Amino acid sequence: MVDVAALRSVKTREGRPPRVLDVACGTGIFLSQLLGLLPDLEAYGIDASADMLAQARARFDGLPQVRLERVEVGAEETANLPYPPGTFDLITCTNALHAIPDPVGTLVGLSRRLVSGGHLVLEDFARRSPPFPWGAFEWLVRLVVGSQVHAYTLAGAQSLCRQAGLCLVCEKAFRIDWLLQGWALRASSAFS
């Protein structure tokens, strides 16, 4: 879902390295993969977990172009992000949308952090059709994690993006294993 060619063209077009924000970056695996493809990338990662960020910091030790911060994403205009509007060429959010209390508000805040023509890539597990016991699954996750979760179908995620004023560029549903499904989509800011 990441348009690597578009990120590579940023340096030529804008005279600066591409800037990427990974929301809920965890231990930094995805940013590490992007840096393997684009070594001059300015990589930003945020996560609410201090433990995850500690592992990410160890992974990126000695790489000054990687900046990691502990942030809980919010739903207001800034999405609780410490970055000005128009900062990022790409924002990714992997396996986190299900735990965001106000997804439309958060998506609006994230989209405002994109440069003109920038992309937002979302990926998460998908709600399966019955007989999968989603009610029990969501109850168990709420019990373990301590907060409400909502698994979205691809159509549900598309609807959230449209409500946030994003333009859908591409989307994909996929099977993770015999039990789980997932979806990914790429959207661009309507503010472009």
Side-chain angles (χ1 to χ4, degrees), residues 25-27 45-59 68-71:
C25 68
T27 63
I46 61 169
D47 203 286
S49 168
D51 292 337
M52 293 284 201
L53 285 172
Q55 293 176 58
R57 284 188 178 99
R59 177 186 302 272
L68 303 170
E69 294 190 54
R70 186 171 182 200
V71 174

Side-chain angles (χ1 to χ4, degrees), residues 6-8 14 30 35 45-47 54 76 82 90 106 114 122-124 136 154 160 164 171 188:
L7 287 174
R8 283 192 176 114
E14 303 293 330
F30 185 69
L35 283 162
I46 61 169
D47 203 286
E76 56 279 345
L90 171 67
T106 299
L114 290 170
L122 299 171
E123 181 272 329
D124 212 335
L154 177 57
L160 293 174
E171 60 271 330
S188 64

Side-chain angles (χ1 to χ4, degrees), residues 2-20 37-38 40-41 89 115-119:
V2 172
D3 187 345
V4 176
L7 287 174
R8 283 192 176 114
S9 73
V10 168
K11 189 156 193 159
T12 304
R13 191 177 65 249
E14 303 293 330
R16 61 166 175 77
R19 291 185 296 250
V20 174
L37 297 170
L38 302 157
D40 67 339
L41 178 76
D89 303 292
V115 300
S116 178
H119 290 135

Side-chain angles (χ1 to χ4, degrees), residues 117-141:
H119 290 135
L120 171 66
V121 173
L122 299 171
E123 181 272 329
D124 212 335
F125 61 84
R127 178 178 282 278
R128 285 185 54 124
S129 303
F132 190 84
W134 279 106
F137 174 77
E138 289 174 345
W139 174 83
L140 180 62
V141 170

